[in-house]
Amino acid sequence: MKLEELRFGTELIKRGFASMQKGGVIMDVVNAEQAHVAEDAGAVAVMALERVPADIRATGGVARMADPQKIIEIMDAVSIPVMGKVRIGHFVEAQVLEALGVDMIDESEVLTPADEQFHIDKTRFSIPFVCGARDLGEALRRINEGAAMIRTKGEAGTGNVVEAVRHMRAIMGGIRALKGMDNQELIARAREIEAPADLVIECAKLGRLPVVNFSAGGIATPADAALMMQLGADGVFVGSGIFKSSNPEATARAIVEAVNHYDDPKVIAGVSRGLGEAMKGLDVHTLREEEVLQTRGR
Amino acid sequence: MGVKVGVLALQGDVAEHIAAFRDALSDRPGSSVVPLRKAADLAGLDALAIPGGESTTISRLIVKNGLYEALREFEGGVFATCAGMVLTADRVDDTRVRPLGLIPMRVERNAFGRQVDSREALLEVKGLAEPFRAVFIRAPVATEVGPGVEVLARIPEGIVAARSGRHMAFAFHPELGGDLRLHRMFLQGLEV
């Protein structure tokens, strides 16, 4: 091996890391004990948080990056990758998480945005980023800034899958609509959706996003997770849905299996039996405008 | 004659493995590359790819889906990358993974550290005339190999490519990056 030929943090390594998560479930955890439950259930990674989104909603105030002590506690507890959230545009929180050695950063609308104009320039980091999106244009703007993975925003902390469905349909439908367009039409579409033309052309050619596309924001049951997979997700994030349910261990295992067998209703029926209460959840139509998280960053 | 390849499709970069094998077999009419999730689908396969992903997750799903014994008894060649390398070993220093024991070697998970330590490197691989651009992502290494296992590449951290009969295991990802020389070497070794 030629040492001078070593390269760290290339696009291939960042997107490759995201590819290794495909077909998997990434679970929000707030301590070492929950991280163990997630790993034992078969999670492909955990998101280390101070509070799950449902509690962030309940607590109010400014939501920031978690205490590094908390993140280190979780990193020490498990062998699977550990992710952490930073505020939109807060590149110093991202520098801190990179210094701690987290495996991926989520630039997340669940935390209070630090910059209402710009997202983080993710090309300046050697660790990969995941970002939320509500439609194809937003997904491609984030990829253009260096995101190695996209997730639907959904409406975090509600346990209500309706917004994740809306966003996944918008992204997948947006890609399907590119089919059959010639180059000029693709460039015109790129202008309409405020996305770089080269990325729109790449999507048309691939028939999908050029990076891994997960679903997040309201997934609470095995059937929710399988729904998002059938709609075209490469995997799912489950936030409050596991540790706000009455039986987190069983719910975590059931969601992992539902993602693995997303196209087999018999398996989904089997794993859904006797799970107890799912998280209570919120009707997104009752949220006040300032309580809606998905409109943060665009 | 065509070659039938299955890709273990429980979790990980399954689509990348399917695409790479399809490319490598594009000049072999009658070949097929299919995702595999059930033990019954192993029948008639010449080769099986075990992809990269999370070894703890894939291991759990192998057991849960009743694939453990069937995979241990698979008689074709196995092409394993990253998490796949962990799973094909017979010894893993981690009780969270139940390895399949297809290649006599001891494997250490996440031997490089965390994602910040993931890297691309030009690697000399035995049997290749030119170096291979290897992509290591939270990669494992083999720390010792048993009799009959040929070491194809080694770095300071340990062994990163090995061959045992028709099986090949890599700590890196030949399915990413478009260089198919190791796929071709594997297919030649199948002698079908």
Side-chain angles (χ1 to χ4, degrees):
Chain A
M1 187 170 61
K2 295 180 181 135
L3 288 173
E4 70 275 17
E5 280 290 342
L6 280 182
R7 292 184 200 163
F8 294 88
T10 63
E11 215 47 45
L12 187 58
I13 293 169
K14 292 179 187 178
R15 291 184 181 189
F17 170 81
S19 283
M20 300 311 147
Q21 306 284 305
K22 284 195 291 188
V25 182
I26 300 168
M27 302 182 190
D28 281 3
V29 299
V30 301
N31 55 41
E33 188 194 339
Q34 290 187 354
H36 282 300
V37 169
E39 183 173 49
D40 290 346
V44 290
V46 292
M47 180 73 70
L49 296 169
E50 196 111 13
R51 284 189 282 272
V52 295
D55 290 333
I56 290 175
R57 277 187 187 285
T59 311
V62 175
R64 309 179 179 91
M65 170 187 82
D67 185 332
Q69 184 62 41
K70 175 69 74 184
I71 293 168
I72 290 165
E73 173 195 332
I74 291 164
M75 285 186 358
D76 287 344
V78 290
S79 65
I80 55 179
V82 175
M83 304 181 178
K85 282 189 197 294
V86 300
R87 286 180 265 177
I88 290 174
H90 206 316
F91 53 86
V92 173
E93 284 188 348
Q95 290 165 1
V96 169
L97 290 194
E98 183 168 60
L100 288 176
V102 305
D103 298 295
M104 184 176 238
I105 293 175
D106 183 2
E107 186 182 18
S108 178
E109 70 283 359
V110 170
L111 304 183
T112 311
D115 190 327
E116 296 192 328
Q117 203 178 356
F118 294 105
H119 280 70
I120 295 170
D121 176 1
K122 292 164 276 284
T123 61
R124 299 169 73 97
F125 288 79
S126 61
I127 58 169
F129 278 71
V130 54
C131 287
R134 288 169 300 166
D135 54 38
L136 182 59
E138 195 171 349
L140 296 181
R141 287 193 292 279
R142 297 294 89 77
I143 293 167
N144 192 48
E145 293 158 0
M149 183 181 195
I150 292 296
R151 54 171 175 76
T152 59
K153 282 180 167 175
E155 190 56 40
T158 61
N160 188 337
V161 80
V162 64
E163 295 301 304
V165 168
R166 190 191 318 281
H167 300 159
M168 187 55 74
R169 284 193 183 279
I171 292 171
M172 302 308 283
I175 295 167
R176 281 190 291 269
L178 302 177
K179 211 175 165 185
M181 286 189 182
D182 67 15
N183 243 31
Q184 281 177 307
E185 290 166 334
L186 289 171
I187 292 165
R189 175 58 57 89
R191 274 202 300 273
E192 271 166 42
I193 65 174
E194 298 177 63
D198 56 336
L199 287 176
V200 173
I201 292 166
E202 191 180 357
C203 276
K205 209 166 111 193
L206 296 172
R208 58 159 295 143
L209 288 180
V211 303
V212 169
N213 180 23
F214 267 48
S215 186
I219 295 160
T221 68
D224 285 350
L227 172 66
M228 298 318 302
M229 295 297 288
Q230 288 201 26
L231 287 172
D234 292 317
V236 300
F237 284 86
V238 186
S240 321
I242 290 170
F243 292 100
K244 289 285 168 190
S245 71
S246 66
N247 189 344
E249 286 87 354
T251 302
R253 281 197 302 270
I255 291 178
V256 168
E257 276 183 58
V259 167
N260 185 224
H261 295 279
Y262 66 90
D263 52 0
D264 188 342
K266 281 188 189 142
V267 174
I268 299 164
V271 301
S272 302
R273 283 178 65 177
L275 277 187
E277 284 295 307
M279 73 179 280
K280 181 156 182 294
L282 283 171
D283 180 354
V284 292
H285 300 102
T286 63
L287 296 176
R288 293 195 309 275
E289 199 184 325
E290 66 273 20
E291 292 174 325
V292 175
L293 302 178
Q294 60 177 274
T295 50
R296 295 168 163 183
R298 63 168 295 285
Chain B
M1 228 179 87
V3 183
K4 290 188 167 52
V5 180
V7 177
L8 187 66
L10 299 176
Q11 192 273 318
D13 69 334
V14 176
E16 287 81 351
H17 273 271
I18 291 175
F21 266 110
R22 283 191 179 149
D23 275 357
L25 286 165
S26 57
D27 57 348
R28 307 272 291 264
S31 295
S32 64
V33 185
V34 294
L36 174 142
R37 288 201 273 172
K38 294 196 295 283
D41 299 338
L42 280 165
L45 290 183
D46 301 306
L48 173 72
I50 306 183
E54 279 308 311
S55 54
T56 49
T57 305
I58 300 174
S59 182
R60 194 176 182 283
L61 291 171
I62 284 173
V63 173
K64 192 81 195 172
N65 291 344
L67 277 161
Y68 187 77
E69 289 304 326
L71 290 174
R72 281 174 69 90
E73 286 159 17
F74 179 64
E75 286 178 351
V78 171
F79 184 91
T81 73
C82 198
M85 184 188 201
V86 176
L87 291 162
T88 50
D90 65 348
R91 283 156 294 158
V92 177
D93 300 329
D94 192 329
T95 53
R96 289 171 280 215
V97 175
R98 193 172 162 201
L100 296 163
L102 295 167
I103 300 178
M105 59 181 174
R106 178 190 291 275
V107 169
E108 186 188 330
R109 295 178 60 216
N110 299 335
F112 294 70
R114 307 199 69 92
Q115 174 62 13
V116 285
D117 307 302
S118 292
R119 66 194 71 163
E120 285 182 39
L122 266 187
L123 194 66
E124 302 284 349
V125 181
K126 203 169 155 187
L128 295 183
E130 299 292 325
F132 193 91
R133 179 156 285 286
V135 185
F136 294 92
I137 299 172
R138 288 175 47 97
V141 295
T143 50
E144 48 177 280
V145 295
V149 180
E150 186 185 6
V151 174
L152 301 177
R154 190 193 290 271
I155 60 170
E157 286 86 350
I159 295 157
V160 293
R163 174 156 60 188
S164 168
R166 283 181 290 178
H167 302 332
M168 290 177 86
F170 305 96
F172 51 95
H173 294 277
E175 74 279 14
L176 304 177
D179 184 343
L180 297 171
R181 286 177 294 161
L182 294 171
H183 286 76
R184 296 206 181 93
M185 189 194 284
F186 171 76
L187 291 168
Q188 277 159 17
L190 290 177
E191 294 168 324
V192 286

